């Protein structure tokens, strides 16, 4: 069995070489499509197209482009394949779009005064809706689709002084209830009945069933640096979160249950990560110097280090986790293939050869039968 360090789990590959609609502020991918949000309020939809030349890789091409009604920067794009919907956060408002076409859902008002949004991570793991289909090309993969009528998904919208809970289906967005909360939420992740929220100072977890909240650990442990360190929250498994805390010399990653209990071991980075993504069992982090580190969630060891790529002048790199997977055309397998000569035989000769073999087989069986009969006629002799 190969050593995991000798078989790196990741490689970098460009998918879209240039975007001129504005600075990319967020992106997501699903199946054979990529969705991009820009600083200009533009929403871009790219699709994988096969190349007419079989020796060339398929490539992503711009399929549609539209502007958000507000014209403001697109801050976050959340895909919900199980109900074929996309939540787009822009100008502190959540608008609901259809997938894959990115059309505004009619007769649905936006949710306003939003500080952060968290869709139940368990619901994001559901299979894609049967109404959501993707083109199947030589390099794309079709989405898993099952279920008849799709169940609604649950989400939390953190506002200035409350946490509002909603249920979203293909037909409508339904408000359920809310609980009080202090202002200043920057990040939030939900898993089942537990909601983990980060302000500039501290991480907290809330039991949505009982509305009880308790604080976990500080975002930064260095006095006077609150607000300069970006909080990171990841859902690792049902009712398990990963929280990052800056110590002044390094950043620690702690695995915490929904009840606030530490589990697994502790991760450590030499600098505070720019982005953190989970692709279980791997955790991928982008460091300020552009280096990408890959850790094992199960052993907390470094599996791979990818040198800083060239992002170009003024480039602001980031990592994004695409939960449902997407198609990435690659020549890795093709490069390992080689041509092999195969001798072909005309169909007539093949049939003749098969007939001759059958004749010989029948003659051999007949001779064996005759020999057995002769042996049966010979009397046994005792000496």
């Amino acid at each position: 069995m190969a050593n995991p360090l000798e078989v790196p789990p990741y490689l970098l590959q460009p998918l879209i070489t240039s975007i001129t609609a504005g600075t990319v502020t967020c992106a997501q991918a699903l199946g054979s499509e990529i969705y991009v949000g820009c600083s200009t309020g533009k929403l871009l939809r790219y699709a994988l197209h096969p190349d007419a030349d079989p020796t060339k890789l398929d490539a992503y091409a711009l399929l549609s482009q539209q502007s958000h009604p507000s014209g403001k920067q697109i801050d976050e794009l959340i895909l919900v394949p199980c109900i074929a919907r996309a939540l787009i956060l822009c100008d502190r408002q959540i608008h609901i779009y259809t997938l894959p076409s990115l059309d505004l859902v009619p007769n649905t008002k936006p949710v306003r005064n939003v500080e952060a949004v968290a869709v139940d991570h368990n619901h994001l793991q559901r299979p894609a809706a049967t109404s959501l289909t993707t083109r199947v090309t030589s390099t794309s993969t079709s989405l898993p689709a099952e279920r008849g009528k799709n169940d609604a998904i649950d989400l939390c919208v953190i506002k200035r002084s409350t946490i509002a809970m909603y249920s979203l289906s293909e037909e409508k967005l339904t408000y359920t209830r809310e609980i009080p909360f202090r202002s200043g939420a920057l990040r939030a992740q939900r898993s089942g009945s537990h909601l983990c929220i980060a302000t500039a100072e501290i991480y907290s977890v809330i039991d949505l069933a009982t509305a009880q909240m308790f604080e976990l650990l500080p975002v930064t442990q260095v006095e006077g640096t609150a607000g300069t360190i970006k909080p990171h929250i990841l859902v690792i498994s049902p009712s398990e979160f990963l929280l990052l805390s800056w110590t002044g010399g390094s950043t620690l990653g702690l695995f915490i249950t929904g009840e606030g209990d530490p589990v697994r071991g502790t991760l450590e980075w030499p600098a505070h990560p720019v982005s953190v993504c989970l692709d279980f069992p791997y955790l991928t982090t982008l460091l300020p110097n552009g280096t990408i580190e890959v850790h094992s969630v199960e052993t907390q060891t470094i599996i791979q280090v990818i040198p800083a790529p060239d992002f170009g002048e003024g480039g602001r790199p980031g990592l994004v986790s695409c939960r449902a997977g997407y198609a990435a055309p690659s020549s890795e397998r093709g490069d390992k293939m080689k041509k092999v000569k195969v001798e072909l035989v005309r169909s007539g000769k093949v049939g003749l050869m098969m007939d001759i073999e059958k004749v010989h087989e029948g003659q051999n069986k007949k001779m064996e039968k005759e020999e057995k009969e002769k042996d049966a006629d010979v009397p046994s002799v005792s000496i």
Side-chain angles (χ1 to χ4, degrees), residues 171-190:
E171 293 79 23
K172 60 181 179 178
L173 176 68
T174 305
Y175 167 83
T176 54
R177 65 188 181 98
E178 65 181 30
I179 57 178
F181 184 73
R182 61 177 179 267
S183 62
L186 298 177
R187 296 284 185 276
Q189 290 286 350
R190 176 176 175 177

Side-chain angles (χ1 to χ4, degrees), residues 294-309:
V294 182
H295 286 78
S296 167
V297 172
E298 297 170 327
T299 64
Q300 294 85 57
T301 57
I302 292 183
I303 300 298
Q304 181 183 6
V305 177
I306 302 175

Side-chain angles (χ1 to χ4, degrees), residues 12-325:
L12 292 176
Q13 176 168 326
L15 297 179
I16 302 173
T17 56
S18 177
I19 293 178
T20 59
T23 302
V24 175
T25 54
C26 57
Q28 274 292 326
L30 180 66
S32 58
E33 300 201 352
I34 297 176
Y35 305 93
V36 179
C38 299
S39 58
T40 56
K42 295 288 187 181
L43 285 169
L44 312 178
R45 178 189 175 196
Y46 290 83
L48 189 64
H49 288 278
D51 197 292
D53 186 345
T55 63
K56 294 182 178 180
L57 294 176
D58 298 348
Y60 279 94
L62 184 63
L63 194 61
S64 67
Q65 174 177 308
Q66 57 184 293
S67 297
H68 189 273
S70 69
K72 302 290 184 64
Q73 171 179 302
I74 309 297
D75 297 312
E76 190 172 0
L77 206 163
I78 303 173
L79 304 184
V80 191
C82 65
I83 55 172
R85 293 291 181 265
L87 306 181
I88 295 179
L89 177 60
C90 175
D91 194 26
R92 299 187 63 195
Q93 300 181 35
I94 296 175
H95 292 262
I96 302 173
Y97 286 72
T98 61
L99 287 178
S101 60
L102 277 190
D103 295 323
L104 268 171
V105 175
N107 304 320
T108 302
K109 295 181 179 180
V111 181
R112 305 182 188 279
N113 304 316
V114 179
E115 291 191 345
V117 59
V119 178
D120 190 338
H121 183 267
N122 301 325
H123 294 175
L124 292 176
Q125 308 303 310
R126 292 174 178 172
T130 52
S131 60
L132 182 60
T133 58
T134 56
R135 295 183 306 105
V136 180
T137 67
S138 58
T139 56
S140 70
T141 55
S142 58
L143 295 170
E146 51 189 60
R147 307 150 59 91
K149 183 177 177 56
N150 299 293
D151 297 331
I153 59 105
D154 296 326
L155 63 143
C156 293
V157 176
I158 298 87
K159 300 187 177 183
R160 181 169 299 177
S161 59
T162 62
I163 299 173
M165 283 170 272
Y166 293 85
S167 175
L168 176 64
S169 66
E170 292 186 12
E171 293 79 23
K172 60 181 179 178
L173 176 68
T174 305
Y175 167 83
T176 54
R177 65 188 181 98
E178 65 181 30
I179 57 178
F181 184 73
R182 61 177 179 267
S183 62
L186 298 177
R187 296 284 185 276
Q189 290 286 350
R190 176 176 175 177
S191 181
S193 62
H194 294 104
L195 175 68
C196 189
I197 300 179
T199 63
E201 297 82 18
I202 199 161
Y203 296 100
S204 302
V205 68
I206 300 173
D207 188 328
L208 299 174
T210 62
Q212 292 184 331
M213 181 188 77
F214 51 92
E215 297 178 344
L216 296 173
L217 74 156
V219 174
T220 173
Q221 302 174 32
V222 180
E223 187 176 354
T225 60
T228 63
I229 301 298
K230 179 182 178 181
H232 293 286
I233 309 172
L234 285 182
V235 177
I236 301 299
S237 63
S239 193
E240 180 186 356
F241 301 92
L242 173 67
L243 312 178
L244 272 61
S245 179
W246 172 246
T247 66
S250 63
T251 290
L252 298 179
L254 289 85
F255 298 92
I256 306 291
T257 67
E259 290 74 29
D261 300 321
V263 291
R264 303 184 193 269
T266 302
L267 294 168
E268 187 173 5
W269 295 270
H272 194 70
V274 176
S275 305
V276 185
C277 293
L278 176 70
D279 182 20
F280 198 88
Y282 301 115
L283 189 74
T284 308
T285 53
L286 174 66
L287 299 180
N289 63 1
T291 300
I292 299 173
E293 290 189 357
V294 182
H295 286 78
S296 167
V297 172
E298 297 170 327
T299 64
Q300 294 85 57
T301 57
I302 292 183
I303 300 298
Q304 181 183 6
V305 177
I306 302 175
D310 182 12
F311 294 105
E313 186 177 353
R316 294 188 300 171
L319 292 179
V320 177
S321 178
C322 303
R323 297 179 181 88

